[in-house]
Amino acid sequence: MDKSHRDILKAKRMDLARDLDVNTAVSYLYSQSIFTENDKDEILALKTPQERSEKLLDILPKRGPEAFDVFVKFLDERQPFLSKLLKPNTSMEESKQPVDNMDSPPAFDKKPSMESEGDLKPQETTDATPAESKEDGFSSQDTKEAKEEGNADQGDGSRSSRLFLKSSTYKDGVNSDFMYPMEHRPRGQAFIINNKSFLPASGMQKYPRNGTDVDAEALYKLFRALEFETKVYKDQSSKEIMNIFDHYASMDQSSYDCIICAILTHGEEGLIYSTDGKIMLKELTTKFRTKNLHGKPKLFFFQACQGFEYMEGVEETDGPSRDEEMDEIDAPGNNKITLPVEADFLYAYSTVPGYYSWRNSVRGSWFVQAIVSVFREHAQTMDVLRMMTRVNAEVAKQKSNTNDYFSDNKKQIPSIISQLRKELYFFPENVLEDIGDRTDASKAGDGTRKHEKKCLVS
């Protein structure tokens, strides 16, 4: 391979490694006799797409003078935005600034950081002082409200619940043995890890997550309205994230009913980015298999990419809506049972494995904003799984708006993995009389089980 071709592969290595459809590229180069069978097997044996891409770029320059042209031909056919990088007089900077961005940023989404990389310092945002809250987008009024009694208006049009039935049966004959208890105030702990800016060690320093502060603020206010003690941690390193999880896993949970974690960052399938590296999600979630949280619902919300593919849309006439109900699998009674270690978890991913996750640089991510909208409208009457189905529907309506033909009009669908054993309501139905007629469901008093025809508003 010519030295000029080696040099350009080296200069664009980071961008190519991040966005290359490596499995297809390997097959193509093998079919064109550029790669040997040993090359193909060696690359595909690696675990992550990033590692496979790096290995491909290591081997390619050693495979003769035709290797570069064949590689560019592949990119012309399958990933033209990458082939531009390898041709004279073209660069990523020529592309217009996209409106929607991704949480595993592609080559065309380069944006200069507004902060010096050396000045980035992970910091914790708490409600300790009004000054700290204001700095991270949370008003001092929110901090003040959080310290007042929960029966005051939370400032979002909904009122915290005051009335709870202590008997084994809630209104309309819904047996509490099929529900997780939500009797404590506060309900539990909620924490948000909001990574916007990244250090060079992560490889993501050129890709700040503009718009993520809008998501963090919206989730903060939502969790507070749901009566959770909530903290936001901004720009956290791998060590700091691990310490946060250790802290919440080890704390006394006896006076809480539930715990919530939201992570807003870049990601790939099975992992997230800290400010200085990567962390496997399993390393974090397994920390909550503790005696402290035994039998309590543990909710995780991940706003992060899970791969490097664009999701296309399919034109289809949607069928009639049907009321969705959970299968009730937990038998009533007070007998002690042995629970599986993975029970009582819910994992809500912004996208399915293999695909990008979209985030608007002004309005925030599709996924988080849909959660906030749906939960504020229906948390009084619906369980979490029904609300997350509504979230899926809201996100599915969206389509990307960028300035590049290959990424414009793309779609997204969240992935909800439930290992819950019971229905999870934040507010039992009987609080409807307390909050007034906010929805059609509240007027009818039948929001839990009966068919609901009200349209969602974005």
Side-chain angles (χ1 to χ4, degrees):
M1 184 178 290
D2 292 346
K3 184 178 184 301
S4 61
H5 292 161
R6 289 173 180 266
D7 289 344
I8 194 168
L9 285 174
K10 182 178 179 180
K12 303 300 182 182
R13 182 183 179 92
M14 181 183 296
D15 305 312
L16 291 168
R18 180 174 298 116
D19 297 310
L20 181 63
D21 182 357
V22 62
N23 290 1
T24 307
V26 169
S27 296
Y28 183 86
L29 292 170
Y30 175 69
S31 71
Q32 300 298 310
S33 300
I34 301 298
F35 280 171
T36 66
E37 187 167 353
N38 285 338
D39 294 335
K40 176 171 67 73
D41 293 342
E42 184 178 1
I43 294 170
L44 297 180
L46 297 174
K47 291 184 178 180
T48 69
Q50 182 81 14
E51 291 173 331
R52 293 195 287 270
S53 296
E54 295 275 1
K55 192 64 178 179
L56 182 150
L57 294 172
D58 288 340
I59 296 174
L60 187 65
K62 305 173 185 177
R63 292 299 175 262
E66 297 180 359
F68 183 83
D69 290 338
V70 173
F71 183 56
V72 171
K73 183 179 178 182
F74 164 77
L75 295 178
D76 282 337
E77 295 175 359
R78 298 298 297 264
Q79 295 184 282
F81 66 96
L82 288 181
S83 68
K84 292 180 183 178
L85 303 178
L86 304 182
K87 296 177 181 178
N89 302 320
T90 63
S91 69
M92 291 180 299
E93 284 74 13
E94 292 175 356
S95 300
K96 296 180 180 179
Q97 178 68 35
V99 175
D100 287 314
N101 308 301
M102 288 164 289
D103 276 324
S104 184
F108 62 81
D109 192 28
K110 267 191 174 180
K111 291 171 280 187
S113 175
M114 299 303 292
E115 298 178 293
S116 167
E117 294 166 1
D119 293 335
L120 290 177
K121 184 178 180 181
Q123 56 183 324
E124 177 182 344
T125 301
T126 69
D127 55 3
T129 66
E132 289 176 357
S133 296
K134 183 177 180 181
E135 178 180 327
D136 289 287
F138 307 128
S139 69
S140 58
Q141 182 64 26
D142 292 326
T143 302
K144 180 180 179 182
E145 288 173 352
K147 297 177 180 179
E148 295 175 351
E149 278 294 313
N151 60 358
D153 194 321
Q154 298 295 320
D156 63 351
S158 66
R159 181 168 301 197
S160 303
S161 61
R162 294 200 299 255
L163 306 175
F164 292 94
L165 296 179
K166 300 298 183 179
S167 65
S168 62
T169 303
Y170 288 127
K171 189 178 176 182
D172 291 339
V174 180
N175 195 310
S176 63
D177 288 324
F178 296 109
M179 288 183 180
Y180 287 104
M182 277 287 164
E183 299 176 353
H184 287 95
R185 299 176 65 171
R187 304 281 188 237
Q189 296 284 329
F191 63 99
I192 302 163
I193 295 172
N194 177 33
N195 285 351
K196 178 180 180 180
S197 301
F198 298 82
L199 298 169
S202 70
M204 292 291 187
Q205 70 273 20
K206 298 180 181 179
Y207 304 96
R209 298 181 60 256
N210 296 327
T212 189
D213 290 337
V214 177
D215 284 346
E217 181 176 2
L219 286 176
Y220 174 87
K221 291 180 178 179
L222 174 66
F223 295 156
R224 294 288 281 269
L226 296 176
E227 297 192 273
F228 282 78
E229 291 183 348
T230 307
K231 289 186 179 181
V232 178
Y233 299 88
K234 183 177 180 181
D235 290 341
Q236 299 291 294
S237 67
S238 292
K239 182 178 180 180
E240 289 169 325
I241 291 174
M242 297 296 279
N243 288 341
I244 291 169
F245 271 78
D246 286 335
H247 166 70
Y248 283 97
S250 62
M251 71 187 302
D252 182 9
Q253 299 284 341
S254 59
S255 59
Y256 299 128
D257 295 316
C258 179
I259 189 167
I260 299 177
C261 167
I263 299 180
L264 319 176
T265 187
H266 289 309
E268 297 175 23
E269 186 172 350
L271 62 85
I272 59 165
Y273 280 83
S274 64
T275 57
D276 61 354
K278 304 175 184 179
I279 305 177
M280 298 300 294
L281 288 177
K282 201 70 174 175
E283 293 182 52
L284 300 176
T285 58
T286 53
K287 289 181 180 292
F288 281 4
R289 295 181 188 167
T290 64
K291 189 173 182 180
N292 280 331
L293 290 164
H294 185 69
K296 299 177 187 288
K298 297 161 277 284
L299 311 185
F300 291 89
F301 298 93
F302 300 109
Q303 170 54 45
C305 283
Q306 288 211 75
F308 305 96
E309 296 182 46
Y310 296 108
M311 186 176 295
E312 303 291 344
V314 178
E315 294 294 332
E316 184 66 50
T317 301
D318 209 0
S321 63
R322 292 185 177 92
D323 195 31
E324 301 185 11
E325 297 184 3
M326 291 179 56
D327 288 330
E328 298 176 339
I329 60 174
D330 188 55
N334 297 318
N335 295 331
K336 290 183 178 180
I337 59 173
T338 301
L339 300 179
V341 295
E342 294 286 359
D344 307 304
F345 282 85
L346 181 139
Y347 306 97
Y349 299 88
S350 59
T351 189
V352 296
Y355 288 92
Y356 286 116
S357 179
W358 291 94
R359 166 180 39 81
N360 187 278
S361 57
V362 175
R363 297 187 297 273
S365 66
W366 301 355
F367 180 58
V368 170
Q369 295 305 313
I371 288 173
V372 173
S373 174
V374 170
F375 277 47
R376 286 200 182 280
E377 182 71 15
H378 297 290
Q380 303 288 346
T381 59
M382 285 187 183
D383 68 282
V384 166
L385 284 179
R386 287 190 67 199
M387 287 193 290
M388 292 309 301
T389 300
R390 299 284 181 112
V391 169
N392 282 2
E394 286 298 292
V395 174
K397 295 176 185 177
Q398 306 294 325
K399 61 182 179 180
S400 64
N401 177 21
T402 73
N403 296 310
D404 298 279
Y405 72 92
F406 48 83
S407 60
D408 200 33
N409 291 320
K410 302 304 180 184
K411 304 292 287 184
Q412 179 180 325
I413 188 70
S415 175
I416 314 303
I417 300 174
S418 174
Q419 289 146 209
L420 300 178
R421 296 175 297 112
K422 303 180 182 183
E423 294 172 345
L424 175 55
Y425 291 86
F426 291 114
F427 298 110
E429 281 185 284
N430 56 294
V431 304
L432 290 176
E433 292 84 355
D434 188 41
I435 64 171
D437 296 336
R438 288 187 62 238
T439 66
D440 292 340
S442 67
K443 293 176 183 179
D446 59 357
T448 300
R449 292 294 183 187
K450 297 181 181 179
H451 182 58
E452 188 170 324
K453 296 183 178 179
K454 182 178 178 183
C455 295
L456 294 174
V457 179
S458 299

